[in-house]
Amino acid sequence: MSRSHPKSIRLKLISLYVGLLSVIFVCFGAYIYWGFQQFLVHALEQSLTRRAHQIASTILEELPSRGDAYVAGEIQARFAPELNERVIRISDASQHVVYASRNADLLSSFLVGPVPAGMTEGKAVSRREFPDRGFPLRVIALGRRLSNGNAYTVEVGAPEDEIAMSLRGLLIMLAIGFPVLIILAILGGYSLLGRALSPVNEIVNAAERITFKNLSQRLPVPPTGDEFERISEALNRMIQRLEEAFQIANRFSADASHELRTPLTIIRGELEALAGSPSLPDQSKERVADMLEEVERLGRIVEGLLLVSRLEAGETQMKFEPVNLGELTDSIADQMELMGEDKLLTLTREIKAGVIVEGDSARLRQVVVNLLDNAIKYTPEGGTVRLRVKVEENHGVLEVSDTGIGITPEALPHVFNRFFRSEEAKAGRLPGTGLGLSIVQSITEALGGSVRAESRHGLGTLVRVQLPLIQQKKNV
Ligand code: ADP
């Protein structure tokens, strides 16, 4: 029985680790984005600087000798700034523009922007301009003093559209990569953790199967060498201690009931002798008879407790012989029919012939007697008690059903417990010890069978005993 709990460790760990992974991915993505942006800006600046140096060292050098028009023509011819999406401007120390590419006038801020002060010879200074429209411009300004002593500033700029596009591409890739990574992490984590945590399910399932009836069973110890192995071993040691405690308790019940037997027999004998004494006054005889009744009840309790304790401690030797379940039930029904007749009960039988189970006939007799006794006891006058013997799923089945008072849903899980009697049974002062069904259960389980009860309060009860068929055992 593997239950998936909404708060399972697996889900907790996966959410924790997916959360952690998301944070790492976002930080890593931001770092990559920032690094890539720096790289692109740097590359653009490098290219612009190279271009400024080329202009300064080749074309601008000719300015004193050849004039402004030559410079403009050469720049247009060699660099075609408008086609290459470059903006070029050359100005002198008094901010007089010697040359400006045609697209420069579109970029008003570039045109009106002041030439950086303190331009050092040969040193390129980078800045950003924000035109009224379009992308921001990256601009490199380079100072140059010519042989005639005049200082000039060469500025080369380019829009950052390519950078923006590359960064957008990177962002899209990251945005697609993120959910893919998370899905992979969830799937991977789910299967890996499932494998790592599978011992837990095995341990839980095995632990669920262990009840006080099979305390000799142990949990599987996964040879993982980790905490799971230690938990299993610790739980097994605990189960062992429980088993020992349980055996001590069983031994105690068995010993106590065994010790009580002899004095009870003596008391009964004495009381019987007293009851038969002719000198005893009638009033006392009545009291002695009451006492005898109580002593017999006590005797039944002691015998029942002894039997249950010994069966559960595995101390009772069971015979495993072929028993004709139908014949056994039939003969007991014949004997007990009278009890039912007193209460005007209808006793019906549906008994399949030849249902041979493997068991101990004396013990099985006790099973049938206890069940039939209960059915008659808990069914009011005029009711029906039905006995059925059949074969089902390779088992011999005995069903005892009645139209009696039934059992409340609260009481039903406890009816097989020792000394359990329902409130109704107690209030109705119906005879009983509360051991009948525990004896039935101990015997059937000791014989390798099982018993269960179904009931509808106020309508009736069905108790079903399942026992291994003789053929089935032989085949094993
Ligand atoms: P008891 O000696 O009280 O009959 P059992 O162990 O045989 O003890 O049964 C335990 C309790 O289960 C009973 O006290 C009764 O409340 C309930 N029970 C058992 N059989 C039936 C039945 N056929 N109909 C209604 N209640 C039943």
Side-chain angles (χ1 to χ4, degrees):
M1 167 178 36
S2 122
R3 277 176 284 177
S4 100
H5 204 271
K7 278 191 177 164
S8 75
I9 289 191
R10 203 201 272 204
L11 287 184
K12 270 195 217 164
L13 281 180
I14 288 180
S15 16
L16 213 81
Y17 121 98
V18 165
L20 190 69
L21 208 71
S22 307
V23 173
I24 291 174
F25 188 90
V26 169
C27 292
F28 183 69
Y31 173 72
I32 291 283
Y33 186 90
W34 176 82
F36 190 49
Q37 186 187 37
Q38 295 300 307
F39 167 78
L40 291 175
V41 168
H42 183 70
L44 182 64
E45 279 175 352
Q46 289 251 300
S47 136
L48 295 177
T49 308
R50 260 198 318 275
R51 188 68 29 101
H53 272 295
Q54 279 170 358
I55 292 171
S57 57
T58 56
I59 304 171
L60 192 60
E61 280 299 332
E62 303 287 328
L63 182 71
S65 54
R66 301 216 186 179
D68 292 7
Y70 167 80
V71 169
E74 277 301 292
I75 291 176
Q76 283 303 133
R78 288 208 212 165
F79 300 114
E82 294 81 6
L83 288 179
N84 292 317
E85 287 209 317
R86 293 284 183 271
V87 182
I88 299 175
R89 178 173 76 167
I90 300 173
S91 42
D92 62 17
S94 55
Q95 307 241 341
H96 165 72
V97 175
V98 177
Y99 166 79
S101 57
R102 275 198 293 282
N103 53 7
D105 64 336
L106 297 172
L107 309 165
S108 53
S109 83
F110 180 61
L111 266 183
V112 298
V115 173
M119 292 298 306
T120 335
E121 169 74 16
K123 188 174 179 308
V125 176
S126 169
R127 71 175 193 275
R128 269 183 117 192
E129 294 275 346
F130 298 91
D132 296 339
R133 61 205 140 80
F135 290 93
L137 279 177
R138 180 67 51 175
V139 183
I140 289 291
L142 180 73
R144 184 84 176 189
R145 190 169 293 281
L146 297 184
S147 47
N148 62 3
N150 289 340
Y152 292 88
T153 303
V154 178
E155 288 161 293
V156 183
E160 292 181 346
D161 55 347
E162 276 172 23
I163 294 182
M165 265 157 61
S166 303
L167 287 176
R168 194 173 327 133
L170 177 67
L171 213 57
I172 290 171
M173 269 174 55
L174 289 174
I176 294 172
F178 182 68
V180 171
L181 181 90
I182 295 302
I183 289 170
L184 285 180
I186 291 175
L187 292 181
Y190 198 77
S191 91
L192 280 179
L193 281 174
R195 211 171 311 157
L197 292 174
S198 70
V200 174
N201 281 339
E202 279 170 36
I203 295 169
V204 168
N205 290 343
E208 296 274 11
R209 282 195 296 272
I210 295 180
T211 66
F212 74 95
K213 298 265 177 212
N214 54 3
L215 273 177
S216 56
Q217 281 191 19
R218 291 291 176 268
L219 302 176
V221 179
T224 45
D226 59 11
E227 285 82 352
F228 294 137
E229 189 176 334
R230 277 175 28 224
I231 284 180
S232 260
E233 283 171 349
L235 286 175
N236 276 341
R237 284 193 292 274
M238 186 185 80
I239 296 169
Q240 174 147 13
R241 289 194 292 274
L242 279 177
E243 190 187 5
E244 284 161 10
F246 206 72
Q247 273 166 358
I248 290 171
N250 251 336
R251 263 254 58 82
F252 174 77
S253 317
D255 289 349
S257 35
H258 184 72
E259 289 304 317
L260 287 171
R261 260 172 141 189
T262 319
L264 269 175
T265 317
I266 296 169
I267 293 173
R268 193 189 309 141
E270 293 289 331
L271 284 173
E272 275 165 359
L274 200 60
S277 155
S279 59
L280 198 72
D282 283 352
Q283 211 185 350
S284 300
K285 269 191 184 164
E286 241 173 63
R287 296 178 74 178
V288 170
D290 285 349
M291 280 158 75
L292 249 176
E293 220 172 85
E294 284 306 308
V295 168
E296 263 155 26
R297 197 174 110 79
L298 202 57
R300 282 197 300 277
I301 294 179
V302 166
E303 287 304 322
L305 189 59
L306 184 63
L307 177 63
V308 173
S309 315
R310 282 188 171 165
L311 280 169
E312 283 180 8
E315 286 175 2
T316 306
Q317 281 300 311
M318 280 280 189
K319 282 192 219 147
F320 285 93
E321 58 194 6
V323 178
N324 188 321
L325 191 61
E327 276 177 15
L328 182 80
T329 309
D330 226 8
S331 78
I332 295 168
D334 288 343
Q335 291 161 15
M336 293 181 72
E337 206 162 19
L338 259 179
M339 282 168 61
E341 277 172 14
D342 288 349
K343 289 176 81 180
L344 305 171
L345 298 183
T346 314
L347 181 68
T348 66
R349 310 178 198 185
E350 275 176 50
I351 294 180
K352 188 173 157 42
V355 180
I356 317 285
V357 294
E358 185 166 55
D360 185 315
S361 56
R363 300 290 178 217
L364 282 176
R365 167 171 287 275
Q366 210 162 354
V367 167
V368 184
V369 168
N370 285 5
L371 294 183
L372 194 52
D373 182 59
N374 274 354
I376 293 171
K377 193 164 60 180
Y378 296 112
T379 305
E381 280 190 8
T384 304
V385 173
R386 174 181 301 196
L387 288 172
R388 267 184 167 186
V389 174
K390 54 187 175 177
V391 172
E392 234 173 56
E393 293 165 3
N394 280 331
H395 278 89
V397 172
L398 164 70
E399 276 179 4
V400 183
S401 57
D402 60 59
T403 57
I405 59 171
I407 303 165
T408 58
E410 299 78 47
L412 194 60
H414 308 291
V415 291
F416 292 103
N417 294 353
R418 292 182 202 181
F419 296 116
F420 177 84
R421 304 201 69 208
S422 69
E423 291 307 318
E424 275 167 306
K426 284 190 244 171
R429 300 197 159 272
L430 294 165
T433 57
L435 283 171
L437 287 181
S438 4
I439 292 175
V440 169
Q441 191 179 46
S442 304
I443 294 175
T444 41
E445 289 182 356
L447 291 171
S450 63
V451 58
R452 63 181 166 81
E454 293 166 19
S455 188
R456 289 182 70 188
H457 190 221
L459 292 175
T461 305
L462 180 146
V463 183
R464 181 186 155 93
V465 173
Q466 201 167 294
L467 292 159
L469 284 174
I470 192 89
Q471 299 94 320
Q472 190 194 351
K473 281 256 174 150
K474 275 187 182 154
N475 291 343
V476 175

